[in-house]
């Protein structure tokens, strides 16, 4: 197949996306596909007028599209520097020729993370243009990206989630969430803008940081205990993985720096508890109107009660990512996982 792996962009998860994209790109090339890796924001400039006459010709280029990508740093990327590379970026999110190349592909593998990748906007645009893509559709993406809406749907469908409130910038807080509490941007990802507040002073700083990333934040009860994640593919849960950071909590650094977190898959849990978490993951998948694949995050307190934190519609596919580890526990290699995601997307598009 002719495949575009779409990565990069201008979200705070740009570096993670590029790392995911590079791994997916290499895996699909090894499996014999014609693959192009594109930065959705920077795009691709035609080398000559002839090349631009037929976008499909780009799939025949002998080029390592991932050759210039580096590893994920421990710090968030400087998005201002990225935006400076495109003077017209405010007028059009898509980089040069991105749409034309995506239309020439059989399918677009979405390796985007964060804003304008997982919030449904690109998915809606592709739907209008007849472009087949991987991951959740625009409705599921939008619902999962907004943690406030997700929590409301969790409550409606009987999915346990930590008590929390939505707070807009400048709004007076009326409900009280006891310390310790979690403060996070409503539409963020990769734990960017997430803080644990133990005191009033820390709470003030946490709000200030979270509001740097979004005009709305979630303040919720902190669940002391173990952390787990579960991937779901076409409605069926994969093995549960346990996440145990060596230091602190599962923040941006601990997620993407090798050795910073101990991950155990399958998680060491009683069979009935494993199945309980998997059932909740499958219920979240349905409640948020997802399709293809996703990943749900959970915590379990000392009494064994499980709480769903959030859902991820385009889980990371980096060297330290959770979904590939869960698939591997079922004997599915990284390349096979990418292939299964592609096949499901093409099949759904044809239905």
């Amino acid at each position: 197949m002719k495949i575009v792996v779409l990565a990069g962009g201008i979200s705070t998860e740009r570096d993670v996306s590029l790392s995911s994209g590079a791994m997916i790109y290499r895996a699909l090339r090894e499996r014999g596909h014609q693959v192009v890796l594109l930065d959705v924001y920077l795009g691709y400039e035609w080398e000559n007028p002839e090349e631009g006459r037929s976008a499909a010709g780009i799939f025949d280029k002998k080029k390592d599209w991932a050759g210039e990508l580096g590893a994920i740093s421990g710090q968030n990327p400087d998005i201002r520097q990225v935006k400076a590379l495109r003077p017209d970026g405010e007028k059009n999110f898509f980089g040069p020729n991105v749409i034309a190349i995506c239309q020439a592909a059989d399918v677009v593998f979405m390796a985007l993370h964060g804003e304008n990748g997982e919030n449904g906007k690109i998915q809606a645009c592709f739907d209008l243009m007849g472009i087949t893509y991987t991951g959740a559709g625009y409705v599921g993406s939008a619902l999962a990206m907004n943690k406030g809406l997700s929590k409301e749907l969790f409550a409606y469908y009987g999915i346990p989630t930590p008590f929390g409130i939505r707070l807009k910038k400048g709004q007076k807080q009326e409900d009280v969430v006891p310390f310790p509490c979690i403060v996070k941007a409503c539409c963020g990802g990769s734990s960017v803008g997430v803080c644990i507040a133990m005191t009033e002073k820390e709470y003030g700083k946490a709000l200030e940081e979270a509001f740097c990333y979004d005009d709305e934040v979630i303040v919720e009860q902190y669940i002391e205990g173990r952390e787990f994640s579960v991937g779901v593919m076409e409605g069926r849960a994969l093995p549960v993985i346990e996440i145990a950071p060596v230091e602190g909590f599962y923040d941006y650094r601990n997620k993407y720096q090798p050795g910073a977190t101990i991950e155990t898959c399958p998680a060491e849990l009683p069979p009935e508890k494993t199945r309980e978490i998997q059932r909740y993951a499958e219920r979240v998948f349905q409640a948020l109107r997802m399709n293809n694949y996703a990943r749900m995050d959970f915590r379990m307190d000392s009494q064994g009660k499980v709480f769903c934190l959030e859902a991820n519609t385009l889980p990371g596919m980096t060297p330290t990512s959770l979904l590939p580890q869960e698939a591997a526990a079922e004997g599915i290699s990284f390349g096979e996982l990418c292939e299964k995601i592609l096949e499901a997307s093409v099949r759904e598009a044809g239905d």
Side-chain angles (χ1 to χ4, degrees):
M1 284 194 288
K2 291 181 173 64
I3 302 166
V4 168
V5 177
L6 204 58
I10 51 174
S11 83
T12 53
E13 297 173 79
R14 172 182 172 80
D15 286 359
V16 185
S17 171
L18 290 171
S19 182
S20 288
M23 282 199 71
I24 295 164
Y25 164 77
R26 293 190 177 104
L28 293 175
R29 277 191 57 169
E30 288 174 2
R31 297 181 73 84
H33 295 288
Q34 292 177 280
V35 194
V36 171
L37 174 60
L38 282 184
D39 186 318
V40 66
Y41 185 75
L42 298 182
Y44 174 77
E45 297 282 2
W46 302 124
E47 294 179 1
N48 55 66
E50 277 300 313
E51 188 180 21
R53 290 173 192 248
S54 175
I58 197 170
F59 295 96
D60 297 319
K61 291 180 72 70
K62 304 299 180 184
K63 175 179 178 176
D64 179 8
W65 293 85
E68 298 178 1
L69 299 182
I72 302 172
S73 71
Q75 303 297 322
N76 302 341
D78 189 339
I79 301 303
R80 290 173 300 178
Q81 291 182 359
V82 179
K83 288 184 175 181
L85 299 174
R86 264 195 63 200
D88 67 332
E90 296 299 324
K91 297 180 180 179
N92 185 1
F93 171 76
F94 293 102
N97 304 305
V98 167
I99 294 297
I101 296 169
C102 288
Q103 287 178 317
D106 296 312
V107 60
V108 175
F109 201 119
M110 299 285 274
L112 295 164
H113 303 313
E115 185 182 7
N116 291 332
E118 291 187 83
N119 61 9
K121 292 182 180 180
I122 292 176
Q123 288 81 358
C125 178
F126 281 2
D127 284 343
L128 291 173
M129 294 182 171
I131 296 171
T132 300
Y133 55 88
T134 61
Y138 75 93
V139 173
S141 298
L143 291 176
M145 187 61 162
N146 189 305
K147 296 177 179 63
L149 290 176
S150 295
K151 289 178 78 69
E152 289 178 12
L153 285 167
F154 292 168
Y156 181 83
Y157 284 96
I159 300 161
T161 190
F163 166 74
I165 60 171
R166 297 164 71 174
L167 193 62
K168 292 185 178 180
K169 189 177 288 189
Q171 176 185 350
K172 183 180 178 181
Q173 181 175 334
E174 296 180 356
D175 296 311
V176 177
V177 180
F179 295 122
C181 65
I182 294 285
V183 179
K184 55 188 175 184
C186 190
C187 294
S190 285
S191 295
V192 175
V194 177
C195 296
I196 300 176
M198 308 295 290
T199 64
E200 196 70 42
K201 183 177 180 180
E202 290 179 354
Y203 178 63
K205 289 183 178 179
L207 282 177
E208 185 178 345
E209 179 173 350
F211 278 128
C212 288
Y213 299 101
D214 199 344
D215 289 335
E216 187 172 354
V217 303
I218 299 294
V219 182
E220 67 181 14
Q221 164 194 13
Y222 174 68
I223 306 299
E224 183 74 41
R226 299 164 70 184
E227 186 158 354
F228 304 93
S229 189
V230 188
V232 176
M233 295 189 66
E234 297 187 84
R236 185 185 70 83
L238 293 172
V240 179
I241 187 169
E242 181 169 5
I243 308 147
V246 175
E247 293 181 7
F249 73 104
Y250 199 44
D251 60 6
Y252 187 90
R253 179 187 177 280
N254 284 333
K255 283 187 175 183
Y256 302 116
Q257 294 305 300
T261 300
I262 298 169
E263 291 147 356
T264 307
C265 189
E268 296 176 357
L269 287 166
E272 63 275 13
K273 186 58 66 175
T274 293
R275 188 57 198 144
E276 178 188 352
I277 296 173
Q278 290 176 318
R279 280 197 301 269
Y280 280 135
E282 292 168 353
R283 197 183 300 179
V284 170
F285 193 85
Q286 295 172 343
L288 298 184
R289 280 67 166 175
M290 295 183 185
N291 54 297
N292 203 192
Y293 73 113
R295 199 196 76 230
M296 323 311 170
D297 297 333
F298 296 86
R299 285 189 76 89
M300 184 175 72
D301 67 17
S302 58
Q303 305 302 311
K305 187 174 181 180
V306 173
F307 299 83
C308 184
L309 304 180
E310 60 184 73
N312 304 270
T313 54
L314 291 176
M317 301 282 271
T318 72
T320 57
S321 291
L322 306 177
L323 186 75
Q325 293 185 59
E326 295 174 43
E330 285 199 340
I332 302 171
S333 70
F334 186 83
E336 290 172 325
L337 174 61
C338 293
E339 197 81 57
K340 284 179 178 291
I341 291 170
L342 280 177
E343 290 171 357
S345 305
V346 173
R347 186 167 59 248
E348 288 168 5
D351 290 342

